[in-house]
Amino acid sequence: MGCIRTIIAAALATTAIGNIANAEELRMSWWGGDSRHKATQEALKVCGEKLGHTINPEFTGWDGHFQKVATQLAGGTEADIMQINWPWLPIFSKEGTGFADLNDFADTIDLSQWSADELASSTRDGHLNGLPASVSGRLFFFNKTTWDKAGLPLPTTMEDVMAAGPIFAEKLGDNYYPLEGTGLDASLMIQMIVTQQTGKSFINPETNEVQWTADELKAGIDMYQAMLDNHVLKSWPDMAAAGNVPLFENADWSNGMIGGSYQWDTTYSKINDPLADGQELVAVGLLRVDGAQNDGVYRKPSMVFSISAHSDKQQAAAEVLNCLLNEPEGIAAMGSERGVPSSDVAAAQLLADGGIEQIQVDAQDMVMAAEAPAISAFNEDPDVRAGIEDTLELYAYGEIDSTETADEILMLVNEAMEDK
């Protein structure tokens, strides 16, 4: 027994010496709020202690983070590990070489914890530019308490939602609406409708070409207008008059006067927490329009973790990344601050430990099971998004009609895509 103990002690000593000898000082950058900052710093601490590395945190809020990363990448001064917004990949890594290829570290990072589709979503020209921290998608959440009050079952199709508008007004009053939709929510709802109707995503992710005709886009805008006309949605001017506050800060949402929303599945806690006591929020997945060819799901990596192409400590960075996303200590510390983890082992551990709620897992499953063609990261290019949302706002205020709106959006988006 003494001999065995001696051998074990020697092995542990050798491992400790190895860790010290290979110890690196790294940097990791990300954006977020206070709870994410706290969780990530704790994860860096436990993974650093486990691996023998020191990882210095660099964190900010969302505003200005893109500009900060862009400046660092241009000067080669970026952190070794970075949290990157998925739509930034084609901007910072046009040919796939802007970040380290994580395929090169397959013996260090357990890539089997991600599906082939998840890995493909952050692969550019064969280079795995990042690992999705989580996958986020739009789906419908409804306040079951409000729908019960209106005497209606939860909707299963868009036609059900359309029919509910007049009933809400009659049973509950003119200030009650089945759904909300302005700004980005309106833009993505229209995109869902047109994707269902045409079977095509807005921008082809392979060719970067806009795939919808003006008539196809106009049909989606007209259906959105029908929702306004049928008391399904509160108008943009009315929402603006009420302060244009985010949904989770909207008193009408908290009090159940807005009966539903088309939101990212990862925002469940944010929109559920403000609800008054006794109200029940339910995820129902994607609702189809009549004749839909697919679910029209808008699904994407919510963010990815990448390693700097300029870093001379990529092996150590890969070790840290695997710890954060796949190893028990990192998983527990990171928690669900970035949504339901894409890593299978992380999601299973958090669900077993109570780190995520079952409804979050169910909502994620709905997003992953929904059918639709792949979307392009350029959907969220700043110029593309501005072209869509600014034009829709003009339409919402009655300054242009749906034909002019469709033509203007396509002109602006095609113009934005010319240099991509």
Side-chain angles (χ1 to χ4, degrees), residues 73-91:
L73 286 170
T77 60
E78 69 273 17
D80 301 283
I81 305 169
M82 293 167 282
Q83 175 183 295
I84 296 292
N85 195 23
W86 177 69
W88 299 349
L89 291 182
I91 299 173

Side-chain angles (χ1 to χ4, degrees), residues 158 162 181 186 189-190 193 217-237 392-403 405:
M158 288 299 291
M162 193 76 75
M189 195 183 306
I190 291 170
I193 291 167
L217 179 53
K218 178 183 181 300
I221 296 169
D222 286 341
M223 183 167 180
Y224 177 77
Q225 182 62 50
M227 295 170 76
L228 291 167
D229 295 341
N230 281 278
H231 197 81
V232 173
L233 301 170
K234 197 170 188 175
S235 71
W236 284 30
L392 283 176
E393 186 170 12
L394 292 175
Y395 172 75
Y397 278 85
E399 297 187 28
I400 52 179
D401 63 24
S402 61
T403 298
T405 301

Side-chain angles (χ1 to χ4, degrees), residues 4-148:
I4 293 174
R5 287 175 178 167
T6 301
I7 293 172
I8 293 174
L12 290 173
T14 300
T15 301
I17 292 170
N19 282 343
I20 294 171
N22 296 320
E24 297 283 9
E25 185 167 351
L26 306 165
R27 296 158 53 211
M28 176 173 169
S29 65
W30 71 90
W31 75 86
D34 289 343
S35 60
R36 181 182 294 172
H37 297 333
K38 182 179 178 180
T40 308
Q41 288 181 88
E42 177 60 23
L44 294 181
K45 178 175 178 290
V46 298
C47 285
E49 291 173 350
K50 178 177 182 177
L51 298 167
H53 302 312
T54 300
I55 311 105
N56 297 310
E58 300 177 5
F59 51 88
T60 66
W62 167 253
D63 290 343
H65 196 81
F66 172 85
Q67 290 79 7
K68 175 183 176 180
V69 173
T71 300
Q72 290 179 330
L73 286 170
T77 60
E78 69 273 17
D80 301 283
I81 305 169
M82 293 167 282
Q83 175 183 295
I84 296 292
N85 195 23
W86 177 69
W88 299 349
L89 291 182
I91 299 173
F92 295 145
S93 187
K94 190 170 184 178
E95 298 177 352
T97 56
F99 301 99
D101 185 351
L102 300 186
N103 289 313
D104 294 340
F105 302 96
D107 57 345
T108 300
I109 303 172
D110 183 3
L111 300 180
S112 69
Q113 297 303 326
W114 288 263
S115 71
D117 286 345
E118 288 169 335
L119 295 178
S121 69
S122 52
T123 296
R124 295 192 57 76
D125 290 342
H127 302 275
L128 181 56
N129 278 188
L131 290 173
S134 60
V135 172
S136 184
R138 285 269 169 160
L139 78 169
F140 288 94
F141 289 96
F142 288 102
N143 186 327
K144 186 176 184 301
T145 309
T146 299
W147 283 72
D148 286 347

Side-chain angles (χ1 to χ4, degrees), residues 321-366:
L321 203 51
N322 190 65
C323 180
L324 293 175
L325 302 179
N326 289 331
E327 297 180 15
E329 301 90 341
I331 293 168
M334 293 274 271
S336 60
E337 285 300 324
R338 291 170 175 84
V340 177
S342 289
S343 164
D344 290 340
V345 67
Q349 177 178 320
L350 292 180
L351 182 59
D353 294 346
I356 49 179
E357 295 183 49
Q358 185 63 50
I359 188 173
Q360 293 175 282
V361 177
D362 292 342
Q364 176 83 161
D365 288 345
M366 292 175 187

Side-chain angles (χ1 to χ4, degrees), residues 146 149-150 152 161-178 228-233 257:
T146 299
K149 189 176 177 181
L152 293 171
V161 177
M162 193 76 75
I167 298 173
F168 264 62
E170 177 188 351
K171 296 285 186 67
L172 305 179
D174 288 340
N175 291 326
Y176 281 78
Y177 294 85
L228 291 167
D229 295 341
N230 281 278
H231 197 81
V232 173
L233 301 170
M257 298 174 73

